[in-house]
């Protein structure tokens, strides 16, 4: 194998490793955000009770928030 091919393969492997590492860090951050959001709510209450006590404005803000999109990954689900 030529030195150029070896260098090219080494670069590709390094880029793949870096992308994988960054993705793992991103997932860890999203998981932490998801857990934090769950910790804010009393788990003994049902979702219906929570939603019925919330104003429409609060529900819209919650369901359309960037933080929710970060851990729900709607684009990934649609793929």
């Amino acid at each position: 194998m030529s030195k150029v091919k070896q260098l090219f393969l080494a670069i590709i492997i390094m880029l793949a490793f870096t992308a994988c590492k960054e993705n793992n860090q991103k997932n860890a951050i999203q998981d932490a955000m998801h857990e934090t959001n769950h910790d804010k709510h009393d788990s003994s209450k049902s979702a219906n009770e929570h939603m019925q006590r919330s104003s429409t404005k609060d529900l819209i803000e919650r369901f359309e928030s960037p933080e929710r999109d970060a851990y729900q990954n709607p684009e990934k689900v649609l793929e």
Side-chain angles (χ1 to χ4, degrees):
M1 186 182 298
S2 74
K3 291 200 182 253
V4 173
K5 286 182 181 178
Q6 288 176 341
L7 180 61
F8 180 73
L9 285 175
I11 291 170
I12 295 298
I13 291 169
M14 287 174 31
L15 289 173
F17 177 76
T18 303
C20 185
K21 185 176 177 182
E22 287 175 1
N23 192 39
N24 287 341
Q25 289 172 341
K26 181 180 173 186
N27 287 341
I29 292 168
Q30 290 174 349
D31 289 346
M33 288 173 59
H34 183 107
E35 291 303 316
T36 300
N37 286 337
H38 280 284
D39 291 343
K40 290 179 185 175
H41 304 289
D42 183 0
S43 60
S44 66
K45 302 291 181 184
S46 73
N48 278 341
E49 290 175 9
H50 175 73
M51 290 181 66
Q52 289 173 357
R53 288 192 319 256
S54 301
S55 72
T56 303
K57 181 183 176 197
D58 289 341
L59 291 172
I60 290 170
E61 287 176 7
R62 178 176 174 210
F63 286 112
E64 293 185 352
S65 72
E67 293 83 11
R68 185 170 189 269
D69 283 349
Y71 71 84
Q72 290 285 335
N73 295 314
E75 294 84 14
K76 191 173 183 180
V77 172
L78 291 174
E79 286 177 10

